[in-house]
Amino acid sequence: MRRSAPITPREWRRVALFAALVMVFTTIPYLVAWGTAGHDTRFGGFLFGVEDGYSYLAKMRLGARGDWLFTLRHTTESHDGALMFLPHLLLGKLAAPFVPVDDPVLPDALAILYHAARVASGWLLILICYRFTAEFLPSRRARWLALILITFGGGLGWLLLLVGAKDWLSWLPLDFYLPEGYSALILYGLPHLALARSALLGGFLLLFRALDAPTAPWRRSASAGLCWAVMGLAVPFYVPVVYAVLGAWGLAAWLREGRFPWRLFRQAVIAALVPLPMLIYTGIVFLTNDVFGQWSAQNQLPSPHPLHYVFGYIVLALPALAAFGWAWRRGGRGDIRTLLLVGWLTAVPVLVYLPINVQRRLAEAVIVPLSILAVAGLRLVVQSRRARRWATVAVLCLALPTSAILWLGEIGAALGQNPPLFWPDPMIDALARLDTAAPQDARVLTTREMGSYVPVQTDLVSYVGHGPETLDGERKNDEVERFFAGKMDTDERRALLDGIDYVFYGPFDPGASDPTWAEELHPIAAADDANLYRSYEVPHDAP
């Protein structure tokens, strides 16, 4: 199999500098948010996907207090923990020696550590993406163009927004909310996905080396499997994605060579077996743990109308299609690696419409092979150097605006200083007092907005506070709204509070100015701002 053109030390230094600058660029909105927070407000640490972000900090808090098993922090149903979300638990354990779990600044420390991990994992991802492109593109200019497209490339979602089609076909444009399908959102705020993608691509790079190795290739194959095990610890269902891509790669090689690719098969099987026990463990957890099973079942992430994928990828797909023949021919001349690109891109349209609940997330890392083939296609179709330069500019002008809009949106959110991105200090202080008064893992009833943050600031569990991680969330949210609005009769209120230990409310809650629902509750002593944020203990021995 052909070896890729080497990357010179000077080239690596430039890539490392580029990666560092990219991560500084993605950090600016967060620095703005922390820098502009007023004397009476606190930045929660996230500028998009806030509920998910707070759930990550809540998982880190579990690690900081010594837990090794993950439990849902935004639902009050009793359940056993499981070895999941290990990267977040480990980040929390990293913070534990420096900030005690009962220190009120722990949430800030966790948020800062989270973004430090984001910067480090994003920097690593960019380097690995460049190394991956070098397997297929010998030209440095081609590699750089592919890297830019991988890093910030998007679709025509910005154009749909420009013409007022924000909810075209009842969906937001794909490149504004699908981190698996692109890279910008991952770099802006999802370090565990950056780690998972780095491990995914690293596994394929090691598998390439195994196919090249004259002796003991199984060692590199096993190392590839270890990479995919790390990937699976971050995102378990990425393991089946790798299996599907391996299968598509093997099928492409079989069809191209006219004989079964035994060498690829043997090394791929060795690599695939390494993360298999972890995948089986995860499956057993979801099958035997009723709470986790319901959480998984209600985590619905369907694919949008196929036209959304067309608009999301057409900028890169058109030149990429022109390179399919090149990749197919090259695969028949001893370079089986390029058939991975063909198999991968052929498999994705099938994966994202499989009858499972996480359809669209199966597009993981498709931007990588798509960008590589798009760059190759541009060089094949446009022969003139000057015309190629203009074609490159056109592709960049069409593919990059979405990432710029996302960044500007984060700046706007940072300057807005509105809940749930920012929280008033009196609320933080009131939660700290409640955390001191309540036993660990006590169940708290509050609104969904504040409930998303309660497990970050405290060691308590929210009745409602997250979409998928709150079981039967729509019903619970309706109950909470009716409770605080005083629209429940006595029997309904007592039935709800039977599974609750404390009630927390503030000026964001409906009916907060006239808490008639608090007649049978015991107020917890508070400071002078208790008229704004108040905590109550639920007396379970009441008639």
Side-chain angles (χ1 to χ4, degrees):
M1 192 169 74
R2 295 181 183 179
R3 296 299 301 271
S4 59
I7 302 175
T8 65
R10 183 181 182 185
E11 199 174 351
W12 271 125
R13 287 194 294 270
R14 290 182 175 180
V15 175
L17 178 60
F18 170 77
L21 292 175
V22 167
M23 297 317 298
V24 169
F25 176 75
T26 63
T27 303
I28 290 174
Y30 299 101
L31 296 178
V32 171
W34 265 302
T36 58
H39 296 297
D40 57 350
T41 59
R42 180 180 296 184
F43 175 49
F46 299 92
L47 296 170
F48 71 92
V50 178
E51 275 193 2
D52 285 342
Y54 291 156
S55 77
Y56 300 145
L57 294 188
K59 296 171 179 68
M60 292 172 63
R61 187 180 183 103
L62 281 176
R65 77 181 198 183
D67 290 18
W68 280 101
L69 300 179
F70 161 69
T71 53
L72 293 168
R73 309 302 292 170
H74 293 93
T75 199
T76 52
E77 289 81 359
S78 178
H79 59 283
D80 294 328
L83 188 62
M84 302 173 67
F85 293 99
L86 190 59
H88 298 93
L89 294 172
L90 291 176
L91 279 176
K93 292 184 181 299
L94 185 62
F98 305 98
V99 184
V101 71
D102 57 352
D103 193 322
V105 305
L106 178 63
D108 290 329
L110 294 178
I112 292 171
L113 183 59
Y114 180 92
H115 284 286
R118 178 185 61 82
V119 170
S121 60
W123 182 85
L124 175 64
L125 175 59
I126 293 173
L127 265 64
I128 289 182
C129 284
Y130 191 82
R131 181 65 189 83
F132 194 80
T133 65
E135 291 289 322
F136 309 96
L137 301 173
S139 166
R140 293 175 188 171
R141 287 187 178 182
R143 295 172 184 175
W144 273 102
L145 176 57
L147 182 63
I148 292 170
L149 291 173
I150 291 169
T151 304
F152 288 121
L156 295 178
W158 61 272
L159 183 59
L160 293 175
L161 294 185
L162 189 64
V163 300
K166 178 181 178 180
D167 296 319
W168 182 59
L169 294 174
S170 303
W171 289 79
L172 185 71
L174 198 68
D175 43 347
F176 281 93
Y177 68 89
L178 184 62
E180 286 83 6
Y182 304 91
S183 298
L185 284 172
I186 290 177
L187 298 176
Y188 285 154
L190 298 165
H192 64 295
L193 296 190
L195 173 64
R197 185 172 296 181
S198 297
L200 185 154
L201 297 175
F204 279 117
L205 288 171
L206 286 167
L207 192 55
F208 293 160
R209 301 288 77 78
L211 295 175
D212 286 336
T215 59
W218 64 269
R219 294 179 181 175
R220 290 182 173 87
S221 297
S223 298
L226 287 175
C227 281
W228 292 336
V230 171
M231 174 197 71
L233 288 172
V235 188
F237 67 83
Y238 282 8
V239 177
V241 173
V242 168
Y243 290 170
V245 172
L246 286 172
W249 182 17
L251 180 59
W254 192 358
L255 293 175
R256 182 65 185 91
E257 297 180 351
R259 52 189 174 87
F260 192 79
W262 285 109
R263 184 172 179 80
L264 172 60
F265 175 78
R266 286 192 294 268
Q267 303 314 316
V269 167
I270 292 172
L273 286 174
V274 177
L276 184 59
M278 185 209 60
L279 180 62
I280 294 173
Y281 168 78
T282 303
I284 292 174
V285 167
F286 283 114
L287 288 174
T288 59
N289 188 314
D290 291 339
V291 170
F292 278 22
Q294 186 176 343
W295 161 43
S296 175
Q298 65 186 33
N299 186 27
Q300 296 294 322
L301 298 168
S303 279
H305 191 284
L307 284 177
H308 271 282
Y309 284 104
V310 173
F311 271 79
Y313 291 106
I314 192 170
V315 175
L316 300 180
L318 288 178
L321 285 173
F324 260 63
W326 162 80
W328 188 256
R329 290 189 300 272
R330 187 171 170 178
R333 295 197 293 264
D335 192 359
I336 199 174
R337 293 169 302 178
T338 56
L339 296 176
L340 168 65
L341 306 180
V342 174
W344 197 337
L345 292 184
T346 304
V348 168
V350 177
L351 290 174
V352 296
Y353 285 105
L354 290 177
I356 59 175
N357 62 321
V358 290
Q359 286 179 330
R360 63 177 182 260
R361 296 194 67 181
L362 301 185
E364 165 55 25
V366 68
I367 191 69
V368 177
L370 187 62
S371 296
I372 293 170
L373 284 179
V375 171
L378 283 175
R379 298 177 71 84
L380 289 169
V381 173
V382 186
Q383 299 297 323
S384 166
R385 183 172 297 180
R386 182 176 180 181
R388 187 186 302 155
R389 186 180 302 117
W390 282 108
T392 298
V393 170
V395 168
L396 291 174
C397 288
L398 291 172
L400 300 187
T402 294
S403 294
I405 292 172
L406 288 170
W407 187 84
L408 292 173
E410 288 193 340
I411 293 291
L415 295 174
Q417 299 194 22
N418 297 315
L421 280 64
F422 292 79
W423 298 107
D425 280 345
M427 189 198 88
I428 300 298
D429 295 339
L431 282 176
R433 292 192 295 272
L434 175 60
D435 192 39
T436 300
Q440 184 174 284
D441 297 330
R443 301 159 296 182
V444 178
L445 177 69
T446 186
T447 58
R448 173 170 173 168
E449 187 174 76
M450 284 198 287
S452 68
Y453 193 68
V454 165
V456 177
Q457 187 64 40
T458 72
D459 283 316
L460 311 178
V461 179
S462 292
Y463 179 70
V464 63
H466 188 273
E469 292 186 18
T470 297
L471 302 195
D472 202 6
E474 290 187 10
R475 176 187 62 81
K476 289 181 178 178
N477 196 53
D478 178 68
E479 286 181 342
V480 168
E481 290 179 356
R482 292 177 58 237
F483 174 82
F484 282 118
K487 295 182 179 180
M488 281 187 168
D489 60 35
T490 302
D491 290 339
E492 287 180 308
R493 190 166 61 246
R494 288 180 176 176
L496 172 61
L497 294 178
D498 185 57
I500 300 297
D501 300 308
Y502 294 88
V503 175
F504 180 82
Y505 85 91
F508 301 136
D509 300 334
S513 60
D514 184 24
T516 56
W517 41 262
E519 295 174 355
E520 298 180 353
L521 307 182
H522 297 165
I524 295 176
D528 293 338
D529 57 12
N531 61 317
L532 295 178
Y533 298 93
R534 195 172 300 177
S535 302
Y536 291 90
E537 183 177 4
V538 179
H540 289 295
D541 56 349

